[in-house]
Amino acid sequence: MQMSAAPSTVPPAQASTAQASAARAVELDRASVVFGRGAGAVTALAPTTLRIGHGAFVALVGPSGCGKSTILKLVSSLLRPSDGSVVVGGREASVRALRIGMAFQNPTLLPWLTIERNVMLPLKIVPPFRHDFRRERTRAFRDRVHALLARVGLQDFAGHYPWQLSGGMLQRANLCRALIHEPDLLLLDEPFGALDQFTREELWQDLQALYLERRPTVLLVTHDLREAGYLATRICVMSPRPGRIISDRPIDLPQPRDIDLIYRPDFVEMTQSLRELIAQVRK
Amino acid sequence: MSNLRIRICSAALIFGFFAMWEVLCLWLQVSDLLLPRPTEIAATLWTRFPVLWPHILQTLYSTLTGFGLGVIIGVTLGVLIGTSRLAYGVAYPLLVGFSSIPKVAVVPIFVLWFGSGTTPAILTAMVICVFPIVVNIATGLATTEPELEDVLKTLGASRSEILWNVGLPRAMPYFFASLKVAVTLSFVGAVLSETVASNRGIGNVMMTASSNFQTSLLFAGLFVLAAMGVALYAVFSFLEARVTGWATRKTDIAVT
């Protein structure tokens, strides 16, 4: 698969030219994050180099607190690197050269808006949609939101408020909000963490279908190795705090993948080896 | 207990209160110069209503104008303080200092500056209601979950967009809770100022009635004030339920 073309062993010098950067969606070059100063300083992320090509689906796995979410925050420019650089779409992360969609672990839907208005929110903020928002919010944008909600089985809940929905429904709506503005870069921070296995598998399939439709670049943070293996085209394993990437491997299984895949022996073997790797570094 | 039964009991309590008042006055033969019976007060209210009406309008005007100004100033200050941690820390002690001044004390100052009449009433109504609004708006903004703001930040929203789409809606329940308190307070402020320095308004009517031993008119004024206070409170309760139903998870707002 194309993903294996961008392993983390590419020398930094080669990537520093503008041309090379533009070819990639995300580029972390020895980026690190340190909170606080002096003796009380906490290193959330050790210098990390990670390059992600356009259209890749990268899963970041590793023990809790290893800095997985920190990488997402760097890429979405919620955080600035203490050192090193974070380049997104060939520009510095804060420039927002790429359209970003993000879904967090908690479905952070705004409680005062209906599901429809929540999902519509990115269209109100993100260019070029924002220019047409006033005109289209009751027409084209509304249809668009309803069509996407229908894709994940929420068509009858557009007028409901977040607290009226179950956890699984909220995560579906959350995913819709991350996708409504057709992002080039989708950042997912354990979006299925709090769900039961069946709902999770359903949502994996939904996400895979949505991914294959437009092929945005995806960076998925997860604890779940089966989730990573089923969805991703490349898996990066991180060490405990201060985190850094210790393993980077492509998953060369053809897509779309059938959900039964996760119970096949070779798949189980692959997740087992990842599991052992993480178990080792946790010690 | 069901809602209906609570309401019936509540109405019975109000009626019982007045009935007891009436009966005790008759039984103990209390002079109507000291404490008139509710029926006498009602009769006075009815016969003197044409005289009272302009004063009611005057008090309502002072209250609502002062309240309106108070809301504008309160929201502005609240947004400034609530959106900046620095401003929150720096300005809070001064605000607490201002708020701890008994508001009666500012009336003479306003009278000195603007003369007696409507202006000091409006200003008193204003200063008395600013503080609860500032504190509530600032608290609502300052306690906004960072996760909700992050949603907008990742979309590349500007600070003002975050304020409009997250901060202010999030602060609305706090704002409306403060409005219910603030409108009653500005009413207190306006009447207070009228009793001290005005020749119009319910507060002035009551002072005049008091000095003329027109006890039942005095109480009639009190009833009018109570009724106006309840009415204003009810208006803002209604608005609160409409605008911030999401915060109390009212099912009836959820139907589209």
Side-chain angles (χ1 to χ4, degrees), chain A residues 171-188:
Chain A
Q171 275 305 2
R172 288 193 168 93
N174 202 22
L175 205 55
C176 286
R177 186 177 61 185
L179 288 164
I180 188 70
H181 53 299
E182 300 187 340
D184 311 308
L185 178 58
L186 185 58
L187 305 173
L188 304 171

Side-chain angles (χ1 to χ4, degrees), chain A residues 33-257:
Chain A
V33 175
V34 180
F35 293 113
R37 273 180 213 158
V42 177
T43 307
L45 185 69
T48 298
T49 300
L50 174 68
R51 303 201 166 84
I52 302 172
H54 284 286
F57 195 131
V58 176
L60 274 177
V61 298
S64 302
C66 69
K68 304 188 295 284
S69 301
T70 307
I71 290 186
L72 281 198
K73 285 186 176 169
L74 283 175
V75 174
S76 61
S77 89
L78 285 177
L79 274 181
R80 282 172 181 279
S82 310
D83 199 13
S85 73
V86 179
V87 174
V88 177
R91 308 284 294 276
E92 207 220 322
S94 58
V95 177
R96 290 174 194 289
L98 292 185
R99 210 182 289 159
I100 294 178
M102 191 160 178
F104 298 87
Q105 185 174 8
N106 304 316
T108 48
L109 298 170
L110 305 180
W112 51 87
L113 296 180
T114 59
I115 297 303
E116 178 190 304
R117 300 297 297 275
N118 260 297
V119 173
M120 211 184 274
L121 191 68
L123 301 179
K124 190 177 180 182
I125 307 291
V126 177
F129 305 103
R130 56 180 298 159
H131 308 297
D132 301 323
F133 183 75
R134 279 179 171 279
R135 189 155 37 89
E136 298 294 349
R137 67 181 161 191
T138 53
R139 301 188 303 193
F141 285 180
R142 193 165 180 271
D143 296 343
R144 190 189 177 120
V145 168
H146 282 245
L148 187 59
L149 286 173
R151 285 288 308 274
V152 295
L154 284 179
Q155 61 276 19
D156 298 331
F157 295 91
H160 285 61
Y161 282 83
W163 49 269
Q164 296 173 307
L165 270 62
S166 69
M169 289 167 152
L170 288 176
Q171 275 305 2
R172 288 193 168 93
N174 202 22
L175 205 55
C176 286
R177 186 177 61 185
L179 288 164
I180 188 70
H181 53 299
E182 300 187 340
D184 311 308
L185 178 58
L186 185 58
L187 305 173
L188 304 171
D189 191 354
E190 293 181 44
F192 313 125
L195 303 177
D196 64 273
Q197 189 61 31
F198 293 108
T199 314
R200 206 180 299 179
E201 285 177 13
E202 273 172 35
L203 280 170
W204 291 350
Q205 288 165 288
D206 285 342
L207 178 58
Q208 176 174 257
L210 291 164
Y211 164 67
L212 292 176
E213 220 166 82
R214 285 197 59 257
R215 282 200 175 266
T217 310
V218 185
L219 191 51
L220 168 74
V221 162
T222 181
H223 283 299
D224 189 332
L225 298 174
R226 284 187 295 186
E227 178 172 304
Y230 174 71
L231 286 166
T233 59
R234 177 179 160 199
I235 297 182
C236 295
V237 181
M238 292 187 70
S239 70
R241 185 190 298 264
R244 60 191 175 77
I245 294 167
I246 52 166
S247 160
D248 190 343
R249 64 172 80 173
I251 305 296
D252 292 325
L253 297 164
Q255 287 176 306
R257 297 172 189 162

Side-chain angles (χ1 to χ4, degrees), chain B residues 25 31 37 51 60 81 91 108 152 179 186 190 202 211 214 235 237:
Chain B
C25 281
S31 156
R37 285 173 285 121
V51 187
L60 209 54
I81 292 172
L152 283 238
L179 282 193
S186 32
I202 296 293
S211 50
Q214 293 172 300
V235 166
S237 285

Side-chain angles (χ1 to χ4, degrees), chain B residues 38-199:
Chain B
T39 46
E40 285 178 312
I41 297 167
T44 311
L45 197 57
W46 178 255
T47 52
R48 302 291 292 272
F49 197 74
V51 187
L52 281 170
W53 181 240
H55 295 286
I56 292 174
L57 288 182
Q58 169 68 23
T59 302
L60 209 54
Y61 167 75
S62 304
T63 303
L64 291 181
T65 311
F67 173 68
L69 292 171
V71 169
I72 293 168
I73 295 171
V75 170
T76 313
L77 283 178
V79 168
L80 286 177
I81 292 172
T83 47
S84 150
R85 189 164 296 179
L86 182 71
Y88 195 88
V90 171
Y92 214 77
L94 182 68
L95 269 174
V96 172
F98 267 120
S99 76
S100 56
I101 298 171
K103 299 303 176 298
V104 200
V106 300
V107 180
I109 300 171
F110 288 142
V111 173
L112 181 78
W113 287 345
F114 303 103
S116 61
T118 312
T119 314
I122 290 174
L123 291 177
T124 314
M126 184 190 82
V127 296
I128 208 169
C129 78
V130 163
F131 187 70
I133 297 174
V134 172
V135 171
N136 277 276
I137 290 270
T139 309
L141 289 174
T143 58
T144 302
E145 295 82 350
E147 293 82 14
L148 295 185
E149 292 180 350
D150 284 353
V151 171
L152 283 238
K153 277 188 200 158
T154 54
L155 295 171
S158 65
R159 278 184 68 127
S160 65
E161 279 174 325
I162 294 173
L163 181 67
W164 273 109
N165 290 290
V166 177
L168 287 180
R170 172 64 173 60
M172 277 301 117
Y174 292 84
F175 178 56
F176 274 92
S178 76
L179 282 193
K180 285 193 294 186
V181 180
V183 78
T184 345
L185 280 178
S186 32
F187 200 47
V188 171
V191 173
L192 193 73
S193 176
E194 283 168 359
T195 56
V196 180
S198 182
N199 48 15

